């Protein structure tokens, strides 16, 4: 244990002597202290806290990541290039211990920095909130929508893929037979892809459409029946079309199924109550379309089985259709933990990212020279981002492989499959970005952390590190010649 | 031998080297010229740039373009998602990264003032976004590019179109807010621009012993501390007022503070404002049209290539016309913006006419001629409505000279005005006729309350003339299409006004009615 701790300690010391680390450290300090004071929000109290929290956490996480990559690559490769490693290797210390010691040193140092910066950002956010001259209403809004950890529930959605498939089959047949009104046979692959994407979007939009006078109901599952505090309901309505342009105010009424007993005896006996759809307001409410809106809703709507139903009626003054995009929910948000707890989880996710980056840096640093190691780690991360970007196209097609293949060239299919291959091995680091979630007041679920820990850390990260350590162990360091 | 060989080589390569250097230099000059012409580079160092701009310009080099692109993409994505919290910050960063790319800044400002503002249902939120758009151009983009005419044009457009026009259903709210904001800076409804332009420099003024002592003895740590307090209150605190040895000192300091406030925050130079007032007539600087004219005039000043002159000319003429039609605030209300009301600024009539004529001479565009004719018609009616019969007659005469073949202008002024009004009434339903008559009577009450007795009386006469005209047109179907007696309508409207007007105005109206009643009795 002594050599391990000594190496970790020495790594910390060596890191603190590095100029690049000094620069990044100063940058981190600047971000923590200067950024919140220079941030310009949209002028609202919520905007100020939201932007300040999101940017400070996001940027400090980014700087720490950069620093981790640099330091972890530097600490191993530099020791080899300056022959320091040769001095250590003649001592009875295994290379695994050296590697782990170095990694621990880097992780410890950056962990401490993360802890410090997180504490400062947290204190600053709370201080900014407390000392502010915001109105009570605004403060309440910030407390309920930003400084909280809320679990997000999406309504039940039908499976669109079958309908999309049917429509595409029909379309292909129409093209083949040259039916009137069918698209040209000479349609390029890009045009075909656009068409299929449009069909899918139309089907989804049709699902989200509520014609004038009609109702729509959403069912939510797995809510907490013991919930006592009010739930939040976040939604976005579009009028006429699903587009950020040409939106205006509309009218409508929200309602929810609330419990009631036909007589007192039933209530006393603890019988299952009946549920009745009660409108939220007696008069139609006015809603601004195209923007997210949030309302409070009583927890009495949650049934014993954890389900809840919410409804909406379109009463648009111009009798236009209203749209709710399936991606927007509407979401039900249930307060679960305090802001502090949620913030801690976010800091932990950033810490996981630091461990992974340190592992990657140490793996590359142990095998290559400093610039090559940094280049490899950066390339690795870029591969992860690019591969995710390439396969994002599948989302537009509802993960329908056949529809996609019909509209893409062989090269594009190959690129997509390669991206899948890459993502099976590479860690898409951008998925660790949690500043948005925290600033939105959404809960960072333990299941999310556990999923990352197993899928990314254990399944993809650990084998890579084991291979890197093995190669490092096998490396003939006597062959390294300083140029 | 080797030495000779090397020397030969050197003798051969040196001229070749010089020749290539010369060629590449020629080519480089040409490339640089193309880069400048096509505006492919942005290497000019901005004078007096704040440290952050100097840093991004020098340290990031060409990469700041990439960074600005990424931020731009984020702006688009967030806008599509309907998330606007970060917009102001991102717009500010893009402007700082690409301070010379004024087109981008103008778009971002327009986007905030137009697209984002209308996504808010609350008028207060809309006003906030419009102000953010104005601030982006006025405080950031113009700071880095004080000579860019497009920015002046865009800024003027926001004032003219977004605030001045009636397209946005919150336009009255914006006008009321702007008026309240400007009055806080002016310290009055209308400041004395001559005094303001001659106001001393604050930094020099506070060096005067008596003033410095007054500031310190009022408990302020320094001038900035006092200035901050002045801007919050919109004037001096009672404690500071008591410390001044003379009223003259207080006035000097007040003017210096307001001048600095106008220049620093609103970027309005009292000297230029004074010149504009002198050129066109006294504007009401609480209204957006005056600001639109200010920025459009600056746009023309900096427009060396005639790129935007026509747009700025249009902005000036249209805003002048608006300032004439509704360029004087009659009522503003801190508590209820709906009471906000304007009346014509008749002093501007000649200036507007002259500007139209000059713009037509300069641009040779028929649109200016048609606009001039329309303005003259409106002006004739309005001057008549407000009791300036002689001037209305003059304008009608000029219309006859402008379009000698138009029979419409051959009538006398009474008939011409009545025809203009009754043209609307002729085809109207009882409700529409009632709206016109009530509108005129409502206005009569406002004018009466504001002490404009002559204008009020001509409004009442006009309302009666419209009523009579409607009666003549509809007398055969009066049973179905009729209106209550004129006296009854007048009485109802007056009582409604007494009830609805703010207390101060309502009392003024009651007083004027009493005076009129007494006058009638004595007659």
């Amino acid at each position: 244990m002594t050599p391990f701790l000594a190496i970790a300690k020495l790594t910390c010391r060596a890191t603190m002597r590095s100029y690049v680390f000094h620069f990044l450290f100063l940058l981190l300090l600047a971000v923590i202290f200067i950024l919140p004071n220079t941030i310009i929000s949209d002028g609202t109290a919520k905007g100020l806290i939201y932007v300040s929290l999101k940017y400070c956490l996001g940027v400090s996480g980014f700087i720490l990541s950069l620093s981790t990559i640099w330091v972890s690559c530097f600490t191993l490769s530099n020791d080899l290039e300056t022959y320091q490693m040769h001095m250590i290797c003649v001592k009875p210390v295994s290379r695994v211990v050296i590697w782990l010691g170095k990694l621990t040193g880097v992780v410890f140092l950056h962990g401490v920095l993360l802890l410090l910066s997180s504490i400062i950002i947290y204190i600053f956010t709370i201080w900014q909130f407390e000392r502010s001259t915001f109105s009570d209403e605004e403060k309440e809004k910030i407390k309920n929508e930003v400084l909280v950890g809320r679990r997000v529930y999406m309504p039940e959605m039908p499976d669109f893929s079958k309908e999309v498939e049917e429509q595409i089959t029909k379309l292909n047949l129409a093209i083949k037979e040259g039916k009137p009104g069918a698209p040209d046979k000479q349609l390029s692959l890009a045009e075909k892809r656009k068409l299929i994407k449009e069909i899918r979007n139309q089907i989804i939009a049709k699902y989200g459409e509520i014609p004038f006078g009609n109702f729509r109901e959403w069912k939510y599952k797995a809510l907490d029946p013991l919930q006592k505090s009010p739930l939040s309901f976040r939604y976005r309505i579009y009028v006429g079309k699903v587009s950020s342009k040409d939106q205006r105010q509309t009218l409508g009424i929200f309602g929810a199924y609330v419990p009631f007993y036909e007589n007192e005896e039933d209530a006393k006996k603890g019988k299952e109550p009946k549920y009745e759809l009660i409108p939220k307001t007696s008069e139609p409410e006015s809603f601004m379309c195209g923007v997210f809106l949030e309302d409070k809703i009583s927890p009495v709507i949650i049934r014993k089985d954890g389900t809840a139903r919410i409804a909406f009626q379109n009463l648009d003054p111009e009798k236009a259709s209203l749209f709710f995009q399936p991606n927007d929910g509407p979401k039900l948000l249930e307060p679960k933990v305090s802001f502090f707890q949620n913030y801690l989880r976010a800091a932990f996710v950033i810490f996981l990212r630091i461990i992974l980056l340190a592992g990657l840096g140490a793996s590359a640093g142990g095998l290559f020279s400093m610039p090559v190691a940094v280049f490899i780690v950066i390339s690795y991360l870029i591969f992860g981002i690019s591969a995710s970007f390439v396969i994002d196209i599948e989302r537009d097609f509802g993960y329908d492989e056949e529809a996609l293949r019909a509209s893409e060239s062989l090269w594009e299919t190959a690129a997509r499959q390669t991206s899948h291959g890459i993502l099976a091995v590479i860690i898409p680091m951008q998925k660790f970005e949690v500043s948005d979630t925290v600033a939105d007041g959404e809960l960072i679920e333990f299941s999310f952390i556990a999923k990352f820990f197993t899928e990314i850390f254990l399944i993809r990260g650990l084998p890579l590190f084991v291979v890197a350590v093995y190669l490092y162990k096998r490396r003939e360091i006597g062959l390294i010649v300083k140029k | 031998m080797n030495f000779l060989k090397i020397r030969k080589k050197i003798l051969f390569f040196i001229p070749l080297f010089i020749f290539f250097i010369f060629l590449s230099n020629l080519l480089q000059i040409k490339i640089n010229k193309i880069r400048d012409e096509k505006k492919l580079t942005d290497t000019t160092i901005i004078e007096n740039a704040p440290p952050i701009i100097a840093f991004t310009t020098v340290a990031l080099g060409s990469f700041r373009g990439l960074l600005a692109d990424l931020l731009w993409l984020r702006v688009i994505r967030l806008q599509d998602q309907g998330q606007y919290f970060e917009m102001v910050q991102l717009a500010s960063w893009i402007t700082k990264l690409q301070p010379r790319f004024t087109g981008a800044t103008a778009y971002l400002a327009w986007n905030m003032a137009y697209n984002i503002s209308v996504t808010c249902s609350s008028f207060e939120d809309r006003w906030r976004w419009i102000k953010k758009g104005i601030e982006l151009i006025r405080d950031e983009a113009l700071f880095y590019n004080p000579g860019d005419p497009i920015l002046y044009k865009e800024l003027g457009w926001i004032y003219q179109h977004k605030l001045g026009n009636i397209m946005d259903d919150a336009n009255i709210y914006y006008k009321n807010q702007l008026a309240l904001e400007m009055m806080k800076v002016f310290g009055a409804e209308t400041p004395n621009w001559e005094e303001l332009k001659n106001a001393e420099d604050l930094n020099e003024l506070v060096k005067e012993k008596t003033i410095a002592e007054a500031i310190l003895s009022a408990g302020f740590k320094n001038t900035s501390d006092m200035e901050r307090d002045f801007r919050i209150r919109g004037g001096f605190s009672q404690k500071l007022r008591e410390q001044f040895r003379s009223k003259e000192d207080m006035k000097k300091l007040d003017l210096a503070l307001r001048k600095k406030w106008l220049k620093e925050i609103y970027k309005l130079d009292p000297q230029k404002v004074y010149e504009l007032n002198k050129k066109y007539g006294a504007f009401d600087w609480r209204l957006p049209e005056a600001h639109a004219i200010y920025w459009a005039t600056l746009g023309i000043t900096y427009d060396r290539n005639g790129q935007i002159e026509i747009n700025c000319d249009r902005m000036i003429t249209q805003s002048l016309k608006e300032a004439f039609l509704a360029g004087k605030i009659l009522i503003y209300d801190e508590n209820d913006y709906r009471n906000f009301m304007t009346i014509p600024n008749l002093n501007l009539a000649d200036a507007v006419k002259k500007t139209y004529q000059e713009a037509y001479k300069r641009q040779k565009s028929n649109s200016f001629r048609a606009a001039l004719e329309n303005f003259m018609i409106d002006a004739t009616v309005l001057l008549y409505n407000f009791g300036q019969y002689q001037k209305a007659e003059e304008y009608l005469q000029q219309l006859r000279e402008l379009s000698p073949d138009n029979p419409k202008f051959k009538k006398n002024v009474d008939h011409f005005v009545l025809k203009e009004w009754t043209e609307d009434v002729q085809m109207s339903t009882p409700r529409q006729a009632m709206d016109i008559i009530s509108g005129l009577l409502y206005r009569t009450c406002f004018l009466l309350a504001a002490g404009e007795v002559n204008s009020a009386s001509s409004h009442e006469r006009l309302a009666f003339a419209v009523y009579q005209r409607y009666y003549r047109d509809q007398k055969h179907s009066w049973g179905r299409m009729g209106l209550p007696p004129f006296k009854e309508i007048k009485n109802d409207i007056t009582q409604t006004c007494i009830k609805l007007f703010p207390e101060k105005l309502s009392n003024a109206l009651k007083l004027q009615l009493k005076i009129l009643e007494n006058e009638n009795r004595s007659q």
Side-chain angles (χ1 to χ4, degrees), chain A residues 466-483:
Chain A
V466 170
V467 172
V469 172
Y470 173 75
L471 291 173
Y472 178 64
K473 201 176 166 186
R474 302 270 305 172
R475 193 173 179 194
E476 181 51 75
I477 58 170
L479 293 176
I480 297 164
V481 179
K482 193 178 177 182
K483 285 175 187 166

Side-chain angles (χ1 to χ4, degrees), chain B residues 394-410:
Chain B
E394 268 174 42
Y395 269 60
L396 185 61
Q397 180 55 34
Q398 284 167 24
L399 268 170
R400 285 177 199 132
E401 285 160 20
L402 198 68
S403 308
D405 302 328
N406 194 335
K408 199 170 144 185
F409 304 140
K410 286 180 181 160

Side-chain angles (χ1 to χ4, degrees), chain B residues 287-305:
Chain B
L287 284 168
E289 286 77 22
H291 292 257
I293 291 166
Y294 181 88
W295 296 112
T297 309
L298 283 182
I300 292 178
T301 315
Y302 289 108
D303 185 21
R304 292 191 188 99
N305 313 321

Side-chain angles (χ1 to χ4, degrees), chain A residues 160-328:
Chain A
F160 299 114
S161 44
K162 204 180 164 189
E163 201 177 334
V164 175
E165 212 175 303
E166 279 172 15
Q167 290 283 342
I168 291 164
T169 316
K170 270 188 202 169
L171 179 82
N172 282 333
L173 205 71
I175 294 174
K176 219 176 183 179
E177 292 170 0
K179 280 188 181 169
D184 190 356
K185 269 186 187 175
Q186 303 301 318
L187 227 56
S188 72
L189 284 173
E191 285 167 334
K192 211 168 175 184
R193 184 185 304 173
K194 202 177 159 195
L195 200 69
I196 295 172
K197 196 176 159 184
E198 267 171 23
I199 290 174
R200 183 176 164 75
N201 287 346
Q202 273 170 16
I203 291 168
I204 294 173
K206 204 176 162 192
Y207 170 76
E209 182 181 358
I210 309 176
F212 174 72
N214 284 23
F215 277 97
R216 165 61 45 87
E217 236 180 69
W218 295 277
K219 188 183 175 188
Y220 297 85
K221 275 181 173 175
L223 291 149
D224 180 5
L226 302 173
Q227 179 69 32
K228 291 282 175 261
S229 43
L231 305 166
S232 297
F233 184 59
R234 189 186 286 171
Y235 55 94
R236 177 163 56 169
I237 309 171
Y238 288 99
V239 61
K241 59 181 177 180
V242 182
S243 161
S244 56
K245 284 178 188 164
D246 305 324
Q247 295 298 313
R248 56 172 168 82
Q249 291 215 315
T250 189
L251 293 177
I253 291 190
F254 273 108
Y257 285 87
V258 292
F260 76 98
Y261 291 98
E262 279 178 340
N263 51 57
E264 275 182 30
E265 268 182 36
D266 286 354
K268 277 178 194 165
K269 282 178 190 167
K271 275 188 178 176
E272 176 71 16
K274 289 188 173 173
Y275 284 85
E276 189 185 14
L277 180 61
I278 303 286
K280 192 181 149 221
T281 49
S282 53
E283 293 289 316
E285 265 188 290
S286 176
F287 304 99
M288 187 67 218
C289 295
V291 285
F292 280 104
L293 302 167
E294 217 172 290
D295 265 338
K296 289 262 144 242
I297 203 161
S298 164
V300 296
I301 64 160
I302 306 173
R303 301 178 191 206
K304 274 184 186 168
D305 60 357
T307 61
R309 284 169 192 268
I310 290 174
F312 178 81
Q313 187 182 17
N314 172 6
L315 296 169
D316 183 63
E318 293 178 22
K319 300 187 176 179
S321 287
L322 299 180
F323 295 86
F324 284 83
Q325 277 198 124
N327 281 349
D328 295 340

